Amino acid sequence: MLDIQLLRTHLDHIARLLATRGYAFPMAEFGALEAERKNLQTYTQELQARRNAASRQIGNAKSKGEDATGILAEVANLGDELRQAEAQLQDTQAALQHILLQIPNLPHSSVPEGKNESDNKEVRRWGTPREFHFSVKDHVSIGEALGLLDLPTATKLSGARFSLMTGSLARLHRALGQFMLDTHTHQHGYTETYVPYLVNAESLRGTGQLPKFKDDLFEIPRKKTAVVETLSRNEDPHGAPGGPKCEYEDDDLYLIPTSEVPLANVVRDRIVALESLPIKLTAHTPCFRSEAGSYGRDTRGLIRQHQFEKVELVQIVHPQQSYKALEELTGHAETILQKLDLPYRVMALCTADMGFAATKTYDIEVWLPEQNTYREISSCSNCEAFQARRMQARFRNEKGKPELLHTLNGSGLAVGRTLVAILENFQNADGSVSIPCVLQDYMGGLDRLEASQL
């Protein structure tokens, strides 16, 4: 979320920056609400001053034994007016907050301006795509021919955009997640974290998925249920042991679209110590996305699924260190591809192609031979204070004063897409798939996927 003071003082400049992201700032609506807020705040303050003055008059009158009936009636009327004005002010502020929650982050000055992904800028490449002396297949054909990938059964079980893997392919999928976690925790200094797969709306607002992207989420409605706890004798107001205490759970939960949500929200409503920074967390979780609006794109195979797994990297850092941290985090994701010997390129996303919460993003794109192109496998972003302001995530700076943190996130990597890249880049003419050397210990010494492995 942007700082509203920034909008109040530099609105035209902010609107121009947001326009480069394809966002049209609602100038008229914001201006009308701001004018209403100012008037209501002034009116409320005037009513409070009049009520305070009248209260002092009542005190003086009573101390002198004078009749204060008229002033008491005036105070009562002022109280009614004040409550009404405060309610109107609260509604106006809520409307302003709703606008703020819909506004994307501002692009960093180093982000290339552009209208779509064709305006993204290549930063670097690593590795040389392999030359094949046979007709290459896509990952679906390879997996099905091996008898290890069964998309029709997954569709029967759950519908489109789900997968069923068996045998050594399922083991390779598991091995990838383990390898990624081990690399990031042992070599890159992240703390492995187990997180809930269901989160509340406040967590999703904190990282920017709500309210704007509600249609992309899987929501789990809950009936109102009572949670009963047993009170000790001291806690029970009547002194009876074992008294019941009822609390009601009626907030809907959502399946996480990425473990960035629970990981970043670890610091929500907290002020962390300066010496605890940077905080570096990683988690391997399933991710759930409805992919609203993406129908017709990547409908074949494992590229775009409703359920997939990802190893997420989150860094929570001092504001002065966030751009250094972005380069570091991107390098951590690249390391996985280098160890797997998968060719890739790094792209700096243009203003219009970045995610909602990002101020600067690098996409890492892995080479897919059958498509003869690079495809996104990781997105690494600096959100600066955008998420921290929504989450009220702060630290005590060098002067001991609370200051908003900066948050960063990236995939390290998407497990399913990495599996796709291995199947296609390491396929052999006989239909088998060689297993990268760094994964063979995780596979019990197995060095290739073959049709006989069940």
Side-chain angles (χ1 to χ4, degrees):
M1 186 166 64
L2 300 183
D3 184 353
I4 194 169
Q5 294 300 330
L6 194 63
L7 293 171
R8 289 168 178 164
T9 55
H10 299 91
L11 182 56
D12 289 342
H13 175 64
I14 299 305
R16 283 194 295 271
L17 286 176
L18 291 170
T20 69
R21 299 206 56 173
Y23 179 82
F25 188 86
M27 301 283 282
E29 182 183 2
F30 181 80
L33 286 169
E34 267 293 282
E36 184 179 353
R37 177 195 62 81
K38 290 178 183 177
N39 291 334
L40 285 169
Q41 278 189 336
T42 300
Y43 181 50
T44 300
Q45 291 167 356
E46 290 174 354
L47 289 174
Q48 289 172 335
R50 287 167 56 190
R51 186 179 65 175
N52 292 340
S55 296
R56 287 193 295 271
Q57 288 180 327
I58 291 170
N60 291 335
K62 288 184 176 181
S63 66
K64 297 176 181 178
E66 298 173 354
D67 183 12
T69 303
I71 307 175
L72 285 168
E74 181 184 350
V75 169
N77 290 333
L78 286 171
D80 291 338
E81 288 183 55
L82 181 59
R83 282 188 290 273
Q84 184 177 1
E86 288 174 337
Q88 291 175 335
L89 178 59
Q90 187 176 9
D91 289 343
T92 301
Q93 290 173 328
L96 283 168
Q97 181 76 354
H98 180 72
I99 290 177
L100 286 176
L101 290 172
Q102 304 283 345
I103 302 172
N105 204 352
L106 299 176
H108 187 261
S109 58
S110 64
V111 173
E113 187 172 334
K115 296 181 179 179
N116 52 52
E117 63 182 14
S118 65
D119 295 316
N120 297 339
K121 304 297 183 184
E122 184 173 319
V123 177
R124 57 184 169 270
R125 292 191 183 200
W126 185 93
T128 302
R130 172 186 169 191
E131 291 187 10
F132 291 87
H133 302 290
F134 57 89
S135 180
V136 297
K137 299 177 180 178
D138 73 351
H139 67 282
V140 176
S141 299
I142 295 167
E144 289 180 339
L146 291 171
L148 303 175
L149 178 64
D150 186 350
L151 297 178
T153 298
T155 300
K156 179 179 69 174
L157 295 173
S158 303
R161 300 198 185 217
F162 290 91
S163 61
L164 178 67
M165 292 177 273
T166 57
S168 55
L169 184 62
R171 184 174 184 177
L172 180 58
H173 185 269
R174 172 165 56 91
L176 277 168
Q178 287 295 111
F179 159 67
M180 293 173 189
L181 273 182
D182 286 348
T183 301
H184 295 312
T185 55
H186 297 164
Q187 297 181 25
H188 299 152
Y190 291 83
T191 299
E192 184 175 351
T193 312
Y194 178 82
V195 297
Y197 300 163
L198 290 163
V199 293
N200 54 33
E202 189 62 27
S203 296
L204 289 157
R205 275 191 291 269
T207 46
Q209 281 80 14
L210 286 179
K212 186 173 179 61
F213 301 105
K214 185 173 183 177
D215 290 343
D216 289 322
L217 302 169
F218 283 107
E219 185 175 359
I220 311 298
R222 291 198 294 176
K223 293 181 179 180
K224 192 168 186 177
T225 56
V227 178
V228 181
E229 297 179 358
T230 301
L231 300 177
S232 69
R233 182 185 296 272
N234 292 334
E235 289 175 317
D236 191 286
H238 304 292
K245 176 185 177 183
C246 292
E247 295 181 355
Y248 288 92
E249 293 182 347
D250 58 356
D251 291 335
D252 291 346
L253 294 175
Y254 298 80
L255 290 166
I256 57 171
T258 164
S259 59
E260 169 202 344
V261 178
L263 288 175
N265 274 274
V266 165
V267 292
R268 190 176 82 217
D269 297 323
R270 285 179 55 191
I271 301 177
V272 302
L274 175 63
E275 55 270 21
S276 70
L277 301 177
I279 298 170
K280 299 166 67 174
L281 305 174
T282 185
H284 174 203
T285 69
C287 305
F288 306 90
R289 299 183 186 178
S290 71
E291 296 290 354
S294 66
Y295 293 97
R297 298 175 58 197
D298 299 315
T299 55
R300 177 175 167 82
L302 307 177
I303 295 292
R304 195 177 298 274
Q305 298 266 285
H306 290 312
Q307 174 187 313
F308 60 97
E309 292 189 16
K310 185 153 64 84
V311 173
E312 187 72 6
L313 306 175
V314 165
Q315 291 200 28
I316 298 158
V317 305
H318 191 292
Q320 294 177 5
Q321 300 298 316
S322 65
Y323 282 94
K324 178 182 176 182
L326 176 61
E327 301 299 325
E328 177 189 76
L329 186 148
T330 305
H332 294 160
E334 290 180 68
T335 296
I336 300 298
L337 291 172
Q338 292 173 11
K339 287 177 176 289
L340 293 170
D341 199 23
L342 290 170
Y344 68 88
R345 68 180 183 180
V346 178
M347 305 292 290
L349 299 195
C350 72
T351 50
D353 200 33
M354 290 194 302
F356 179 77
T359 187
K360 183 173 183 176
T361 297
Y362 292 119
D363 267 9
I364 304 174
E365 300 178 345
V366 69
W367 177 256
L368 295 184
E370 194 278 335
Q371 296 186 21
N372 195 37
T373 191
Y374 291 93
R375 294 298 303 271
E376 180 201 337
I377 197 168
S378 174
S379 190
C380 303
S381 299
N382 185 359
C383 301
E384 291 192 358
F386 187 84
Q387 293 178 328
R389 184 172 289 108
R390 296 165 81 108
M391 296 187 296
Q392 280 301 289
R394 296 168 290 170
F395 72 105
R396 292 204 180 275
N397 62 23
E398 292 80 352
K399 297 180 180 179
K401 295 182 178 180
E403 183 180 345
L404 290 170
L405 292 155
H406 279 194
T407 61
L408 302 96
N409 65 81
S411 304
L413 301 163
V415 178
R417 292 192 179 194
T418 308
L419 185 66
V420 168
I422 289 173
L423 291 175
E424 295 198 8
N425 282 277
F426 289 92
Q427 62 182 293
N428 300 310
D430 63 0
S432 67
V433 177
S434 298
I435 296 173
C437 293
V438 293
L439 297 177
Q440 290 177 16
D441 284 347
Y442 292 90
M443 297 290 291
L446 196 67
D447 63 358
R448 64 179 52 208
L449 302 181
E450 295 177 313
S452 59
Q453 296 160 353
L454 296 176

